[in-house]
Amino acid sequence: MTTGHLTILYRGPLASCDYDCPYCPFAKRRDTPEQLRADRAALERFVGWVSAQVHPVSVLFTPWGEGLVRSWYRRALIELSHLPHVERVAIQTNLSHRVDWTAEADTSTLALWTTYHPGQVPYERFLAKCSNLNARGIRFSVGIVGQPEHLAAARNLRADLPPDTYVWVNAAEGRTYTDAEAADWTAIDPLFSFSRHPHASRGQACRTGDTVVSVDGEGTVRRCHFVPAVLGNLYDGSFRPALKPRPCPLDVCDCHIGYVHLEPLGLYDVFAGGVLERIPHL
């Protein structure tokens, strides 16, 4: 049982998004007012729990939908960023919302994992958001899904963003890349090889379930988003006795928020200081 640093991947019931990307099952979904109220209450309860802890905590919000268009996610990020025991608070976002709210956050703690979705937002508008974040001193990475039709946009991002802004590429789900195709993407993201192929993970040492956990809106704790076995509940503390090193029970791990925690890959060294926001150590 750990009382040291705990990393939490939080995913509440929010499933609505303002984009309609063809490769996403949550495109243009609409949550009902009741669902939104439930998501807000769940998030506020989670923030209250984090606030009450005395051990170091880091949080990555990984909503199915887009969180930053909702005021309660912006407030949660601001509030958590100012807590002395919170080492990092980050969120995955399409960056569709304005970014001036970040002025209220502690920029030494806040970070954004942003994704550019061609066809959903004008390129110049997205680039302007990135420039705004840079001017505000916000830590962020920028990524894109490695669809063939996205290659030109990805090259533009790499050319137009500062060299120290990491541009990552996610292998498109179900797509196999030839060596020539992989070379094109690797020229943009030198770490594309980690995303190109699923990682054989069964029996491999992984930090999830020990120093990293996944939490849903009910406070149910699992080792990660991809292993359904329940470790306990966050709010009654029943998860803590279950925390321990354990091997991965799945055959493969093909999502960055999962395989970054696989110890044999050594990605905690590659992303030292930026594991949650997907920023490699420069």
Side-chain angles (χ1 to χ4, degrees):
M1 180 179 78
T2 183
T3 55
H5 182 272
L6 183 67
T7 294
I8 302 174
L9 310 181
Y10 177 88
R11 178 177 287 164
L14 183 78
S16 54
C17 188
D18 50 343
Y19 285 3
D20 62 351
C21 304
Y23 40 82
C24 179
F26 296 92
K28 289 291 187 184
R29 278 188 55 168
R30 290 285 180 264
D31 286 320
T32 66
E34 292 76 16
Q35 288 171 322
L36 290 175
R37 282 194 291 270
D39 181 72
R40 180 175 181 170
L43 182 62
E44 290 174 350
R45 186 186 187 193
F46 173 72
V47 171
W49 182 90
V50 175
S51 300
Q53 303 312 299
V54 295
H55 58 76
V57 180
S58 292
V59 178
L60 172 62
F61 294 107
T62 64
W64 286 123
E66 174 54 38
L68 291 184
V69 298
R70 306 297 175 186
S71 62
W72 49 97
Y73 280 89
R74 302 192 299 271
R75 282 199 303 271
L77 288 159
I78 292 168
E79 181 176 341
L80 292 176
S81 77
H82 288 287
L83 296 178
H85 62 286
V86 172
E87 296 187 0
R88 179 76 74 227
V89 58
I91 189 170
Q92 295 178 319
T93 175
N94 63 24
L95 211 57
S96 62
H97 194 268
R98 66 182 189 275
V99 300
D100 56 351
W101 63 271
T102 60
E104 299 179 54
D106 183 338
T107 58
S108 68
T109 307
L110 175 71
L112 304 178
W113 165 327
T114 75
T115 306
Y116 174 55
H117 298 282
Q120 301 298 312
V121 58
Y123 176 76
E124 294 300 333
R125 183 186 301 171
F126 183 86
L127 196 63
K129 295 278 183 70
C130 294
S131 297
N132 195 334
L133 290 175
N134 267 322
R136 295 173 181 275
I138 305 299
R139 287 178 57 84
F140 69 102
S141 64
V142 178
I144 198 166
V145 177
Q147 302 277 16
E149 63 271 22
H150 292 175
L151 183 58
R155 284 171 169 160
N156 288 339
L157 281 173
R158 181 60 286 164
D160 292 337
L161 289 168
D164 60 354
T165 298
Y166 176 50
V167 177
W168 50 264
V169 177
N170 267 356
E173 188 170 354
R175 176 172 290 278
T176 300
Y177 296 82
T178 66
D179 288 346
E181 290 170 336
D184 286 337
W185 293 111
T186 303
I188 297 161
D189 175 8
L191 302 177
F192 177 68
S193 60
F194 288 106
S195 180
R196 181 184 177 186
H197 300 292
H199 297 277
S201 55
R202 183 176 294 275
Q204 298 294 319
C206 183
R207 291 174 175 83
T208 63
D210 182 17
T211 60
V212 181
V213 295
S214 165
V215 176
D216 67 15
E218 300 295 324
T220 303
V221 178
R222 297 174 174 85
R223 64 176 300 167
C224 73
H225 288 332
F226 315 105
V227 178
V230 173
L231 301 182
N233 190 273
L234 192 73
Y235 302 119
D236 64 10
S238 58
F239 77 101
R240 291 197 186 273
L243 297 180
K244 63 180 181 180
R246 65 192 77 206
C248 179
L250 304 181
D251 289 334
V252 295
C253 186
D254 64 357
C255 184
H256 181 90
I257 58 174
Y259 66 69
V260 72
H261 306 294
L262 278 173
E263 294 186 38
L265 295 183
L267 290 178
Y268 269 51
D269 293 329
V270 175
F271 290 91
V275 169
L276 293 192
E277 62 271 32
R278 199 171 179 172
I279 297 178
H281 179 71
L282 298 177

